Amino acid sequence: MSDVSMSDAEAEIQRLRAVVDQFRLKAREQPDSLFPAHADALLRLGSLLAETGEVDAALAAADEAVQIYRLLAEVDPDSFRMGLASALNNWSSRLSEGGKPAEADAAVAEAVAEARMAMAARPDHARFILVSCLINLAGSALRVGDAERCLNHLSEATEVFKSAGEAGVTFLGPMIEALHRAALAFGEIGLWGEAVDTRRLMLALFPGGPPPSMVHLLALTLQQASLAMAGAERLEVAQQCADEAVELAHLLFDKDPVEYRLILAQALGNQGGRRFQRGETQSALDVVLESVNLFHQVVNTDPGGAVPSLILTLGTLSAILHGLGLADQAAIVDEQKAQLQQTLERMLAQKG
């Protein structure tokens, strides 16, 4: 947080503390009265305190807000159940930050239950609270290693979000970001099937057809999955991922050959490697030659993106040529690869 934003946050914290103190005074003067704005001020205060590192104070503020909303929901559940769900969801985050994972998990589970009940009564108002709670619950599931439950919660969150229609446009960016982070998290722990499925959920957010950037992310994740599966000797799955990545790259290339030529070249190079790995040598050669041709078309305009991938693809081409008994041609490719490796090293030295 910058000095300016820190100063602004500290000023807002002081303002909110004053507001909370005023509500506490009102509560003492009117012990039978409850004020939703009191709870909302506490939640906002807790979030700001968490951002400035005051974890214990943030947790205390969220806890107090939850207690207020519990009482409000007991009096008028139709009006305040949504607020309770949101407060519980916020409290869960504060508990997690405070090193209390079990309590955090229980809080977010309760938040989802309250949000579901609120959806039954007031779906248009409660929908996005339920989505937020489900995403938080998905994170809770992943933290305890339950990837299947995590993906199920993400799938439900996506379906609930889609049911909003045009009303969801305002929240589309945060929804994409949440799914994007989940896909990255799955990939980081080697759950590539779940990472790919999460990318598909991102595409499902666009009923009229996803933008090229979303398709691109799915294609890249499929390529990463293909490489991981190949390393694990799951060659059939690796090939399936590679083939789908090429299909998507072709779709992108057909729409914008300049922007997506490199993506197609990389996808084809990976596809050729997977075919060669499965013993489909001639087919692999055809695909890899197409890939190399595309790389040569883009290497001058985007050397940083093209050269590392071209080096890998030339390595695959050399292996294929050796497999076909074409040692002389393979030697020529190896020389090209060595020259490119030197070029890459000079590029990296210049950056350093």
Side-chain angles (χ1 to χ4, degrees), residues 261 265 289-301 306 310 314 317 336 340:
R261 182 174 280 111
L289 288 174
E290 183 182 358
S291 171
V292 169
N293 180 53
L294 287 168
F295 274 123
H296 283 309
Q297 293 174 33
V298 76
V299 72
N300 290 328
T301 57
L310 178 54
L314 287 174
L317 178 57
Q336 293 174 345
L340 278 174

Side-chain angles (χ1 to χ4, degrees), residues 275-323:
R275 289 185 180 182
F276 179 60
Q277 199 172 16
R278 297 183 70 194
E280 301 173 12
T281 308
Q282 187 58 53
S283 173
L285 177 62
D286 295 339
V287 171
V288 169
L289 288 174
E290 183 182 358
S291 171
V292 169
N293 180 53
L294 287 168
F295 274 123
H296 283 309
Q297 293 174 33
V298 76
V299 72
N300 290 328
T301 57
D302 186 6
V307 170
S309 297
L310 178 54
I311 290 172
L312 292 174
T313 305
L314 287 174
T316 301
L317 178 57
S318 174
I320 291 171
L321 292 170
H322 277 294

Side-chain angles (χ1 to χ4, degrees), residues 98-173:
K100 299 180 179 181
E103 293 93 330
D105 292 348
V108 72
E110 185 182 357
V112 168
E114 293 292 340
R116 289 193 202 282
M117 288 187 283
M119 271 286 289
R122 304 176 67 183
D124 291 341
H125 295 85
R127 178 176 286 109
F128 298 111
I129 292 175
L130 177 57
V131 169
S132 178
C133 293
L134 284 166
I135 289 171
N136 203 357
L137 188 60
S140 173
L142 189 58
R143 283 192 294 273
V144 298
D146 194 338
E148 181 180 0
R149 187 160 60 90
C150 174
L151 189 57
N152 287 340
H153 293 318
L154 292 173
S155 298
E156 184 183 356
T158 301
E159 290 305 312
V160 173
F161 185 92
K162 287 164 56 181
S163 70
E166 290 297 321
V169 171
T170 303
F171 303 97
L172 182 59

Side-chain angles (χ1 to χ4, degrees), residues 245-287:
V246 168
E247 290 176 10
L248 294 174
H250 270 299
L251 290 174
L252 293 169
F253 180 79
D254 290 344
K255 290 185 177 181
D256 190 340
V258 175
E259 179 70 20
Y260 294 107
R261 182 174 280 111
L262 176 59
I263 302 306
L264 179 57
Q266 292 169 331
L268 286 166
N270 179 54
Q271 185 186 52
R274 304 292 72 74
R275 289 185 180 182
F276 179 60
Q277 199 172 16
R278 297 183 70 194
E280 301 173 12
T281 308
Q282 187 58 53
S283 173
L285 177 62
D286 295 339
V287 171

Side-chain angles (χ1 to χ4, degrees), residues 24 34 40 254 269:
R24 286 171 177 157
L34 295 167
D40 293 338
D254 290 344

Side-chain angles (χ1 to χ4, degrees), residues 25-235:
L25 179 59
K26 281 186 178 182
R28 285 194 293 272
E29 294 172 347
Q30 305 172 49
D32 294 331
S33 298
L34 295 167
F35 304 98
H38 183 188
D40 293 338
L42 283 162
L43 291 172
R44 173 64 179 151
L45 176 61
S47 295
L48 286 174
L49 288 169
E51 290 177 10
T52 57
E54 296 185 52
V55 176
D56 292 339
L59 179 55
D63 181 84
E64 186 177 350
V66 167
Q67 301 315 312
I68 293 170
Y69 264 117
R70 285 196 195 281
L71 295 171
L72 287 165
E74 288 178 7
V75 174
D76 187 352
D78 286 346
S79 296
F80 295 111
R81 183 164 273 143
M82 286 185 301
L84 176 57
S86 184
L88 286 163
N89 199 37
N90 182 294
W91 187 40
S92 171
S93 297
R94 303 290 81 82
L95 285 164
S96 181
E97 293 161 356
K100 299 180 179 181
E103 293 93 330
D105 292 348
V108 72
E110 185 182 357
V112 168
E114 293 292 340
R116 289 193 202 282
M117 288 187 283
M119 271 286 289
R122 304 176 67 183
D124 291 341
H125 295 85
R127 178 176 286 109
F128 298 111
I129 292 175
L130 177 57
V131 169
S132 178
C133 293
L134 284 166
I135 289 171
N136 203 357
L137 188 60
S140 173
L142 189 58
R143 283 192 294 273
V144 298
D146 194 338
E148 181 180 0
R149 187 160 60 90
C150 174
L151 189 57
N152 287 340
H153 293 318
L154 292 173
S155 298
E156 184 183 356
T158 301
E159 290 305 312
V160 173
F161 185 92
K162 287 164 56 181
S163 70
E166 290 297 321
V169 171
T170 303
F171 303 97
L172 182 59
M175 185 67 186
I176 291 171
E177 179 63 22
L179 292 175
H180 176 64
R181 290 198 307 269
L184 292 177
F186 280 132
E188 287 172 0
I189 58 177
L191 297 176
W192 289 105
E194 289 79 359
V196 168
D197 286 343
T198 305
R199 293 294 184 203
R200 296 193 198 283
L201 292 178
M202 292 171 66
L203 268 63
L205 295 173
F206 301 89
S213 59
M214 297 293 104
V215 179
H216 183 190
L217 283 172
L218 175 57
L220 289 177
T221 305
L222 282 163
Q223 286 189 64
Q224 292 171 313
S226 175
L227 290 168
M229 293 302 99
E233 298 296 325
R234 297 179 61 186
L235 302 187

Side-chain angles (χ1 to χ4, degrees), residues 12-30:
E12 180 65 5
I13 286 171
Q14 293 307 314
R15 187 191 72 81
L16 287 168
R17 278 178 165 151
V19 169
V20 167
D21 286 342
Q22 289 172 1
F23 275 118
R24 286 171 177 157
L25 179 59
K26 281 186 178 182
R28 285 194 293 272
E29 294 172 347
Q30 305 172 49

